[in-house]
Amino acid sequence: MKAAILASGSGSNLQAIIDAAATDDGFGVDLALVISDRPSVRALERAADAGIPSVVIPWGGDRHAFTHEICEAIADTGCEIVVMAGFMRILGPEAIDRFPNRILNVHPALLPAFPGGHAVRDALAHGAKVTGVTVHFVDEEVDHGPIVSQAAVEIAADDDEQSLHARIQAEEHRLFPAAVKALGRGSLTVEGRTVRWRET
Ligand code: GRF
């Protein structure tokens, strides 16, 4: 199966997926396209270094038009899986309709705790002792779809946003490629909110 990866920034999760695809013979997912809403980001360099075609689709202020353009780029490349790897834009309903239970997102908290764009900062500000990582399917609500995998990360007394995010990202880089592989191999089934993993 072909996957399109959407990334807005550093792309360390993209890199983890590239590395998994390169080193795991059974990965089974062809990384066919990287889409960024921003030019000149590290994620685009990582795509180029890995020989993956990329396209920049800038946010133009209209969510429907933006989502349509992204969906067309994904479909034109024959991708059936969409991976949101630090993509800082919300896709409109067209994407969920066209790729139902085929869009994965990684979120730096244990959902449903701390949704939104400042999850690491919010967990610290709340005085939480444990936070973590959630990989989930994307549905019509933000940071809400069925949960594929989670890992907990303890918050240390002297953590700041940077130190905590670094430990969260180490877990992301472990969980996210595994989820992409499982989706590509048809190992994930969704029943309501419950995602079941099947050995293949
Ligand atoms: C990750 O921490 C992810 O959870 C959040 O954005 C960050 C992206 O990091 N959605 P990177 O660009 O993959 O390094």
Side-chain angles (χ1 to χ4, degrees):
M1 265 202 213
K2 288 185 179 183
I5 299 166
L6 280 50
S8 301
S10 113
S12 70
N13 279 284
L14 167 64
Q15 189 67 55
I17 295 164
I18 289 170
D19 293 346
T23 54
D24 179 353
D25 287 343
F27 195 71
V29 177
D30 174 17
L31 309 178
L33 180 66
V34 169
I35 300 177
S36 175
D37 58 319
R38 295 181 191 157
S40 315
V41 291
R42 179 85 181 96
L44 291 168
E45 292 172 14
R46 294 182 196 271
D49 289 347
I52 304 171
S54 63
V55 61
V56 176
I57 299 181
W59 168 249
D62 176 337
R63 188 173 319 284
H64 290 287
F66 178 70
T67 301
H68 183 68
E69 209 179 327
I70 286 179
C71 287
E72 289 295 292
I74 294 168
D76 285 350
T77 332
C79 292
E80 296 170 86
I81 292 175
V82 184
V83 180
M84 297 178 70
F87 191 63
M88 302 314 281
R89 298 283 176 191
I90 296 165
L91 295 177
E94 181 182 345
I96 290 99
D97 287 350
R98 288 176 68 167
F99 305 100
N101 291 335
R102 289 294 177 94
I103 310 175
L104 288 174
N105 183 46
V106 63
H107 181 76
L110 291 173
L111 292 173
F114 308 119
H118 307 108
V120 180
R121 191 189 310 168
D122 291 348
L124 280 170
H126 200 77
K129 304 296 187 205
V130 176
T131 184
V133 174
T134 303
V135 177
H136 65 96
F137 283 111
V138 172
D139 68 4
E140 25 321 286
E141 291 178 51
V142 175
D143 297 333
H144 174 270
I147 291 170
V148 175
S149 54
Q150 292 186 304
V153 174
E154 286 193 20
I155 301 179
D158 60 353
D159 261 329
D160 58 18
E161 195 174 340
Q162 203 181 358
S163 64
L164 179 56
H165 200 184
R167 292 205 309 290
I168 287 173
Q169 286 219 300
E171 290 300 314
E172 292 181 341
H173 300 161
R174 192 173 63 81
L175 253 55
F176 209 20
V180 173
K181 174 180 175 177
L183 180 60
R185 292 175 68 92
S187 303
L188 302 179
T189 52
V190 186
E191 296 162 25
R193 282 209 53 88
T194 302
V195 178
R196 296 189 197 287
W197 287 63
R198 181 170 58 81
E199 293 298 320
T200 51

